[in-house]
Amino acid sequence: MISENLHKIQQEIQDSCALVSRKASEVRLVAVTKSVDSEKTRKIIEAGVTDCAENRVEKLLEKKQQLADFPEVNWHFIGNLQRRKVKSIINEVDYFHALDSLKLAQEIQKRAAKTIACFVEVNISGEASKQGIAPEDVVSFIEELEPFDKINVIGLMTMAPLASSEAEQLHYFHQLKELQEKIAALHLAHAPCTETSMGMSNDFAVAIQAGATVVRIGTALFQE
Ligand SMILES: *Cc1c(COP(=O)(O)O)cnc(C)c1O
């Protein structure tokens, strides 16, 4: 079941890439395992997934331990991270998707034993309920990260509004892509910013058309 879902999604990734003349190898599938247990997470890894994401500190730590026989798996943290929890998680993750404040950056700088690959989270739609830096503040925010040598801004991350049309999703994802390209063009040593983490179960095809390099998919992978 899980492997059928995976194959279907891989096919959809390929089809979406083909629509806009991109290579499927440009898109990394991150399996969001936050709503399933370690056994289902194990199944998706055995089916060929190399990247898993969690949004709770305790769950990520527990799963990583239970799946320690897969040291090759990359672990992504995609949730809001409280500063007091940075210490326990930051050296356990390969990618952090939700950098959205200088205070958080300071804490990461203090606690990280190595350079952490980070995505800056952008509130691209401006919804009051959403986390993330406002689009107009992203450049100055990233410039301010320059002194933090434990932070490498590899890209931008966003979520489209829940109840948006395909046209709206495309609009927001294009905006994130443009912003990413603008930052990449600054050639900042601490912020190569070559990646865009955007697209979930219900909108990843659109995100890929707009240039997503990382898609974060949970529900569509694990549904019965
Ligand atoms: C839960 C979650 C996802 C996956 O959402 P699905 O709709 O289940 O695919 C992706 N990104 C973030 C930040 C999430 O919290």
Side-chain angles (χ1 to χ4, degrees):
M1 187 49 106
I2 284 177
S3 66
E4 279 167 35
N5 289 348
L6 176 62
H7 290 142
K8 216 174 121 202
I9 287 165
Q10 284 168 333
Q11 187 61 51
E12 276 180 63
I13 290 175
Q14 272 187 13
D15 293 347
S16 308
C17 284
L19 273 180
V20 289
S21 305
R22 298 184 62 200
K23 289 194 220 107
S25 59
E26 293 170 22
V27 179
R28 186 196 300 225
L29 169 62
V30 174
V32 177
T33 53
K34 67 187 181 194
S35 59
V36 298
D37 60 14
S38 291
E39 275 322 296
K40 286 205 166 130
T41 305
R42 177 179 294 275
K43 289 227 164 68
I44 201 78
I45 296 169
E46 284 170 350
V49 159
T50 57
D51 291 78
C52 294
E54 288 286 331
N55 67 346
R56 293 261 183 267
V57 168
E58 295 73 16
K59 267 194 90 178
L60 190 147
L61 294 175
E62 190 191 305
K63 275 210 181 122
K64 202 182 162 186
Q65 199 169 30
Q66 287 168 347
L67 299 166
D69 47 327
F70 298 105
E72 69 281 11
V73 167
N74 295 309
W75 289 93
H76 299 244
F77 193 82
I78 56 172
N80 179 31
L81 181 58
Q82 291 166 286
R83 266 183 290 153
R84 64 186 173 85
K85 293 196 175 169
V86 168
K87 189 182 172 186
S88 57
I89 191 94
I90 204 66
N91 293 307
E92 299 297 329
V93 302
D94 300 289
Y95 297 91
F96 177 54
H97 286 245
L99 183 58
D100 66 352
S101 78
L102 275 184
K103 290 219 159 109
L104 186 54
Q106 278 159 0
E107 189 63 19
I108 292 172
Q109 178 67 23
K110 193 163 140 194
R111 305 295 185 182
K114 54 169 179 159
T115 304
I116 309 295
C118 296
F119 292 83
V120 167
E121 184 168 355
V122 182
N123 183 356
I124 203 80
S125 59
E127 288 171 290
S129 61
K130 280 232 157 79
Q131 309 276 338
I133 307 281
E136 62 272 24
D137 298 333
V138 170
V139 172
S140 61
F141 176 69
I142 288 178
E143 283 171 349
E144 284 179 293
L145 295 174
E146 201 268 332
F148 301 95
D149 65 357
K150 297 284 170 37
I151 291 178
N152 184 26
V153 179
I154 65 162
L156 304 181
M157 179 274 212
T158 203
M159 282 182 271
L162 262 185
S164 48
S165 68
E166 248 186 64
E168 285 168 323
Q169 291 162 0
L170 198 57
H171 168 76
Y172 290 127
F173 291 148
H174 272 309
Q175 282 194 320
L176 192 79
K177 185 74 193 168
E178 254 175 52
L179 196 50
Q180 173 261 309
E181 286 175 341
K182 180 173 154 186
I183 294 156
L186 299 174
H187 300 292
L188 303 169
H190 70 290
C193 203
T194 52
E195 309 291 319
T196 42
S197 169
M198 56 188 188
M200 317 193 334
S201 290
N202 63 345
D203 57 14
F204 72 90
V206 178
I208 289 170
Q209 287 169 50
T213 62
V214 176
V215 292
R216 312 175 308 268
I217 301 180
T219 312
L221 266 179
F222 294 107
Q223 67 196 353
E224 301 289 325

